[in-house]
Amino acid sequence: MADRNGAHSVKSAYKVLSAAATTSSQREVCLELPPIWKARVSFKAKTVTWRIFKGRLPTCDNLLRRQVPLSASDVLCTACEEENESVEHFFFVCKRSCELWDAILLWIGKYTALHHKASEHFATFSNIGD
């Protein structure tokens, strides 16, 4: 798409791409993501959380999906060595991570259900300090 003068520019391309990015399906995806960058935690914690939501952590299931060769013993969770490693298992289902979440809840004096989905888990803990 050209600008008013009929010239193609980076700005005119940006406008076209921005308009395409505001389709209803992409708006719905953006609404599903919690406000990670507004959380009062370190930048490193925000980055890891974002990578969890985007499926960008190098867990065994992601490595296999990207066709990285792994042996059968390499796909097991490094914490419990009982289940295949995935984001959901490692952070939310693994007995070791559940022990950690229980200790955190005890430490802060809060009690809540622990979710197995990243977005629900984040939503629970993002409001816990209010």
Side-chain angles (χ1 to χ4, degrees), residues 57-70 85:
L57 287 179
T59 54
C60 293
D61 63 334
N62 282 339
L63 294 174
L64 289 172
R65 195 173 17 257
R66 294 181 179 123
Q67 300 178 354
V68 174
L70 298 172
E85 186 182 79

Side-chain angles (χ1 to χ4, degrees), residues 3-79:
D3 60 14
R4 290 184 206 169
N5 301 329
H8 293 279
S9 66
V10 173
K11 185 176 182 178
S12 64
Y14 176 79
K15 286 181 180 180
V16 169
L17 293 173
S18 294
T22 58
T23 63
S24 62
S25 63
Q26 288 189 348
R27 267 186 260 126
E28 289 172 15
V29 169
C30 290
L31 291 174
E32 288 176 10
L33 289 176
I36 297 167
W37 304 111
K38 294 180 181 181
R40 293 177 292 186
V41 296
S42 71
F43 181 74
K44 187 180 280 190
K46 292 176 189 181
T47 304
V48 170
T49 303
W50 179 82
R51 290 179 73 189
I52 288 171
F53 281 108
K54 298 301 256 178
R56 301 286 194 257
L57 287 179
T59 54
C60 293
D61 63 334
N62 282 339
L63 294 174
L64 289 172
R65 195 173 17 257
R66 294 181 179 123
Q67 300 178 354
V68 174
L70 298 172
S71 68
S73 62
D74 288 339
V75 299
L76 292 178
C77 171
T78 56

Side-chain angles (χ1 to χ4, degrees), residues 111-123:
Y111 301 95
T112 184
L114 295 175
H115 300 281
H116 295 172
K117 188 175 177 186
S119 59
E120 294 169 357
H121 198 84
F122 183 84

